[in-house]
């Protein structure tokens, strides 16, 4: 036990709840604090005066050895698996390195909710012994550390569905965890998610997760703990879920890869026990988050090779071909979605789109047919999407909060404004929403066909990573959930400049809506320096393999890691 509390950087205070709630919250925080060894603590002076960009702190703080810095910074999951299999590194050395770096990452960004290094080292030791005895790995992820979002059940550890009253210890592995464990993965931590798991910022009773590139900005949500941990290289591979942008938004904010599959393509069994009413109209998906395109491909290859549809009949048994999938058209037809008709993206995002267009047109002439893409009535669709998220009128949220006296957070209040009323909707109204969704999907695909594109490159968000408590507009991710189209968010070399260094172009001077006007006000007020600018690529429903085939074709042109 440390002689001082675990120091964690926090930029914006959390709302206070009832004494019962605060006591329960402190209990969980104390458990997390006790699990992190004292020798991994950062100096209090650094916590009190952190740099704005904390990504270099793990390398420079003196806690990690030279080998641990090498392990955590110079490999992706694919290369790390090969290094362990060849005995360049032991699984114990790798688990130690990432566990230590995750502890450092948490103090800088508040990204963790549970930490179990001891269990990870026991697992890694057993894997090393197996490799030494048999000369074989147990699977493709032998010894590779994988971090998990809090709501994904893993035996012997806490799970919660976004409220303190739901936190409990599970006695089983969910299907995804079981598949990855069988493939040799080592689990060592669980990461933060927001209240209700329905914000594009990650702020929970256990902390507000900060963006490692600029701690005055959000890490995104709802898989923001994963994204921050990955961005600071405290994880090599993570898993998220996405019903409105919860993988893609954080990946975009933090400058990493994130893949939202088509629904029922990758396993989500037991992710949300009891379900979520929004899925009556908008379906949730899952997918990996990581550092390289080939890691995204490897993850999906391993998971799909386990034939998860045999255990869960809801899953669609489409085999994985991923980056080996050959594009069906030559040249590849790439649509650029400059805006959605409601909000013109802030200047750095427009700059990233222009960069992508130039790369495709000038660096590889003739290989790609690049054209503008206008999404069919996207602004109108967003109205229906927001209503569809809360068919219970938000009653489940309020009931969970009441159990412990948990306060309703600011962004929870914001998203519940979209509920039609505070009463559960009748079946007839839910049916109306579903019919409207299906009609929209049919019209959208007809328009997609008329515009004749294979894939669409678009913004991830209305701007760079936003300032805390301002993740208001989900337009650029939620549209694809409503359509159930797969999407990958990928990094670009573009970053937000110093405040005042760029502004809206003259042709974008007039706001398209009140939301657009508000977005411009946030831009004028904020300081987004050093925020990564990612882009998003999408394609038709269940064309996940074709999506990765397109990314492989685009990899050199877009300088994709």
């Amino acid at each position: 036990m440390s002689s001082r509390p675990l120091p964690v950087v926090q930029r914006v205070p959390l709302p206070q709840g009832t004494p019962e709630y605060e006591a329960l919250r402190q209990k969980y925080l104390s458990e997390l604090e006790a699990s992190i060894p004292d020798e991994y603590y950062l100096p209090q002076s650094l916590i009190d005066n952190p740099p704005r960009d904390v990504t270099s702190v793990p390398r420079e703080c003196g806690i990690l050895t030279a080998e641990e810095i090498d392990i955590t910074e110079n490999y992706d999951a694919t290369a790390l698996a090969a290094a362990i299999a060849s005995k360049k590194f032991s699984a114990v050395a790798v688990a130690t390195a990432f566990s230590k770096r995750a502890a450092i990452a948490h103090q800088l960004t508040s990204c963790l909710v549970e930490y179990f290094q001891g269990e990870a080292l026991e697992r890694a030791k057993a894997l090393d012994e197996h490799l030494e005895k048999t000369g074989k790995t147990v699977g493709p992820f032998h010894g590779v550390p994988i971090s998990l979002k809090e709501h994904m059940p893993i035996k012997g550890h806490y799970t919660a569905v976004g409220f303190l009253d739901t936190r409990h210890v599970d006695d089983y592995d969910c299907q995804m965890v079981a598949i990855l464990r069988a493939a040799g993965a080592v689990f060592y931590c669980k990461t933060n998610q927001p209240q209700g798991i329905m914000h594009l910022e990650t702020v929970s009773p256990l902390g507000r997760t900060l963006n490692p590139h600029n701690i005055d900005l959000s890490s995104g949500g709802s898989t923001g703990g994963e994204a921050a941990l990955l961005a600071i290289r405290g994880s090599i591979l993570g898993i998220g879920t996405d019903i409105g942008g919860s993988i893609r938004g954080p990946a975009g904010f933090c400058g990493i890869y994130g893949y939202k599959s088509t629904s029922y393509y990758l396993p989500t069994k037991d992710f949300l026990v009891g379900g979520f009413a929004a899925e009556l109209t908008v379906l949730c998906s899952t997918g990996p988050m990581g550092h390289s395109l080939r890691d995204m491909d490897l993850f999906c290859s391993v998971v799909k090779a386990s034939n998860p549809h045999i255990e869960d009949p809801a899953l669609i048994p489409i085999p994985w071909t991923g980056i080996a999938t050959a594009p069906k058209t030559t040249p590849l037809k790439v649509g650029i979605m400059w805006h959605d008709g409601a909000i013109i993206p802030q200047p750095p995002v427009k700059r990233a789109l222009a960069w992508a267009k130039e790369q495709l047109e000038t660096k590889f002439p003739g290989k790609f047919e690049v054209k503008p893409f206008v999404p069919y009535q996207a602004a109108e669709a967003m109205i229906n999407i927001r209503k569809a998220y809360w068919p219970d009128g938000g009653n489940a949220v309020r009931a969970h909060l009441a159990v412990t006296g948990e306060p309703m957070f600011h962004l929870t209040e914001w998203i519940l404004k979209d509920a039609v009323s505070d009463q559960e909707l009748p079946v007839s109204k839910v049916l109306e929403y579903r019919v409207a969704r299906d009609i929209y999907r049919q019209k959208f695909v007809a328009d997609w066909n008329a515009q004749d594109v294979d894939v669409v490159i678009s913004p991830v968000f209305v701007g760079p990573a936003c300032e805390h408590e301002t993740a208001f507009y989900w337009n650029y991710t939620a549209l694809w959930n409503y359509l159930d189209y797969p999407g990958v968010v990928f990094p670009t070399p573009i970053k937000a400049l110093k405040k005042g260094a760029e502004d809206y172009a003259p042709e974008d001077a007039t706001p398209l809506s009140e939301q657009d006007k508000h977005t411009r006000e946030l831009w004028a007020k904020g300081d987004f320096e050093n925020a990564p600018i990612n882009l998003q690529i999408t394609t038709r429903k269940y064309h996940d393999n074709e999506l990765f085939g397109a990314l492989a074709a685009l990899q050199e042109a877009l300088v994709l890691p």
Side-chain angles (χ1 to χ4, degrees):
M1 180 68 69
S2 173
S3 59
R4 63 184 174 93
L6 179 70
V8 178
V9 177
Q10 284 288 284
R11 305 299 271 184
V12 180
L14 300 178
Q16 296 291 302
T18 64
E20 177 190 3
Y21 162 80
E22 293 297 336
L24 185 59
R25 174 177 168 272
Q26 190 54 55
K27 169 183 177 290
Y28 292 134
L29 287 172
S30 296
E31 289 177 2
L32 176 60
E33 178 179 304
S35 69
I36 296 178
D38 187 50
E39 58 265 30
Y40 299 168
Y41 278 29
L42 292 168
Q44 188 65 49
S45 57
L46 176 61
I47 299 300
D48 292 340
N49 296 285
R52 195 181 221 188
D53 179 347
V54 297
T55 55
S56 65
V57 171
R59 182 189 321 118
E60 299 168 352
C61 66
I63 294 173
L64 300 177
T65 67
E67 182 181 74
E68 289 164 349
I69 293 171
D70 182 36
I71 288 171
T72 54
E73 292 193 359
N74 297 325
Y75 294 81
D76 62 2
T78 304
L80 194 58
I84 297 169
S86 69
K87 300 184 182 179
K88 179 179 182 179
F89 300 127
S90 68
V92 167
V94 171
T96 300
F98 277 98
S99 295
K100 288 174 70 173
R101 193 156 184 141
I104 297 166
H106 177 67
Q107 295 169 76
L108 297 168
T109 66
S110 191
C111 57
L112 302 184
V113 294
E114 194 173 3
Y115 180 82
F116 34 101
Q117 181 186 33
E119 181 180 316
L121 293 178
E122 286 182 17
R123 163 74 165 166
K125 182 174 182 290
L127 290 170
D128 284 337
E129 291 172 351
H130 175 90
L131 180 60
E132 187 64 34
K133 181 179 179 180
T134 68
K136 298 178 180 179
T137 63
V138 302
F141 282 134
H142 183 105
V144 175
I146 295 180
S147 49
L148 296 171
K149 190 175 181 179
E150 186 182 20
H151 72 80
M152 299 175 181
I154 178 171
K155 185 176 181 179
H157 295 285
Y158 283 117
T159 295
V161 293
F163 305 99
L164 217 55
D165 75 300
T166 65
R167 205 162 201 248
H168 66 280
V169 175
D170 280 308
D171 59 2
Y172 67 96
D173 287 344
C174 65
Q175 185 182 15
M176 179 72 85
V177 167
I179 291 168
L180 296 171
R181 195 189 293 277
V186 174
F187 302 107
Y188 63 111
C189 65
K190 297 193 85 172
T191 55
N192 200 15
Q193 63 191 19
Q195 185 177 71
I197 328 182
M198 279 295 285
H199 301 176
L200 285 189
E201 174 165 12
T202 294
V203 52
S204 79
L206 301 185
R208 180 187 306 276
T209 303
L210 311 180
N211 191 317
H213 298 281
N214 180 335
I215 58 174
D216 291 320
L217 303 179
S218 169
S219 66
S222 65
T223 322
E226 284 292 320
L229 184 63
L230 281 154
I232 204 167
R233 301 289 300 199
S235 176
I236 197 82
L237 196 59
I239 314 169
T241 47
D242 194 314
I243 195 172
S246 290
I247 290 172
R248 293 160 295 147
F253 281 18
C254 292
I256 61 171
Y257 275 97
Y259 163 47
K260 179 204 86 70
S261 64
T262 308
S263 65
Y264 299 123
Y265 187 53
L266 296 176
T268 59
K269 184 172 176 285
D270 295 326
F271 274 7
L272 284 174
V273 176
F276 182 41
E279 288 200 274
L280 293 168
T281 303
V282 185
L283 294 172
C284 190
S285 302
T286 189
M289 303 168 74
H291 299 289
S292 70
L293 178 59
R294 67 178 184 171
D295 282 0
M296 302 291 96
D297 183 71
L298 175 63
F299 179 96
C300 296
S301 175
V302 170
V303 171
K304 292 297 287 184
S306 73
N307 293 317
H309 60 278
I310 300 298
E311 179 180 333
D312 184 359
L315 295 177
I316 308 299
I318 300 173
W320 183 257
T321 55
I323 57 176
T325 308
K328 292 182 178 179
T329 63
T330 304
L332 186 71
K333 299 172 184 176
V334 181
I336 303 287
M337 178 175 154
W338 294 96
H339 63 78
D340 69 345
I343 301 175
I344 294 174
Q346 292 169 347
V349 177
K350 289 293 293 286
R351 182 158 47 90
L353 289 168
W355 169 84
K357 180 177 183 291
E358 181 180 14
Q359 288 290 113
L360 298 182
E361 289 181 334
T362 64
K363 304 295 184 182
F364 295 87
K367 187 175 180 180
F368 308 105
E369 181 184 345
V370 182
K371 59 180 76 176
F373 178 83
V374 179
Y376 176 80
Q377 296 184 2
E380 291 80 358
M382 276 305 303
I383 296 171
N384 289 336
I385 295 168
R386 290 193 294 267
K387 290 189 294 186
Y389 280 139
W390 304 107
D392 72 340
N395 287 335
V397 171
R398 287 183 282 270
H400 282 301
L401 299 179
V403 173
T404 61
E406 181 175 333
M408 182 178 288
F409 290 4
H410 171 60
L411 287 174
T412 304
E413 293 179 5
W414 172 266
I415 58 174
L416 286 181
K417 290 179 181 178
D418 294 327
V420 175
S421 73
D422 60 0
Q423 300 298 315
E424 185 172 298
L425 297 178
V427 172
S428 59
K429 180 59 72 172
V430 176
L431 176 61
E432 179 184 315
Y433 287 171
R434 286 183 63 110
V435 170
R437 177 203 68 184
D438 290 345
I439 291 172
Y440 178 75
R441 288 179 176 181
Q442 292 158 8
K443 291 181 177 179
F444 189 96
V445 77
D447 190 68
W448 176 292
N449 294 341
Q451 295 190 61
D452 191 24
V453 293
D454 297 314
V455 295
V456 170
I457 292 176
S458 65
V460 181
F461 186 64
V462 298
C466 61
E467 293 191 313
H468 298 296
E469 300 290 351
T470 65
F472 299 125
Y473 302 117
W474 305 20
N475 300 37
Y476 287 102
T477 49
L479 173 67
W480 306 110
N481 295 92
Y482 196 57
L483 293 163
D484 201 11
Y485 282 16
V488 172
V489 164
F490 59 87
T492 77
I494 307 301
K495 289 198 170 188
L497 304 176
K498 289 184 179 181
K499 185 176 177 64
E502 59 184 330
D503 208 344
Y504 285 84
E507 63 268 23
D508 295 331
T510 304
L512 301 179
S513 65
E514 286 301 312
Q515 292 179 339
D516 194 348
K517 182 180 178 182
H518 186 208
T519 299
R520 292 161 192 258
E521 292 168 356
L522 295 171
W523 168 255
K525 173 179 172 290
D527 186 351
F528 309 97
E529 183 179 357
N530 203 48
I533 308 298
N534 283 24
L535 294 174
Q536 175 177 210
I537 183 170
T538 51
T539 194
R540 302 169 187 269
K541 184 176 181 178
Y542 288 120
H543 283 55
D544 298 61
N545 284 311
E546 289 79 1
L547 178 63
F548 273 76
L551 278 164
L554 293 162
Q555 187 167 17
E556 187 177 1
L558 295 179
V559 201
L560 301 179

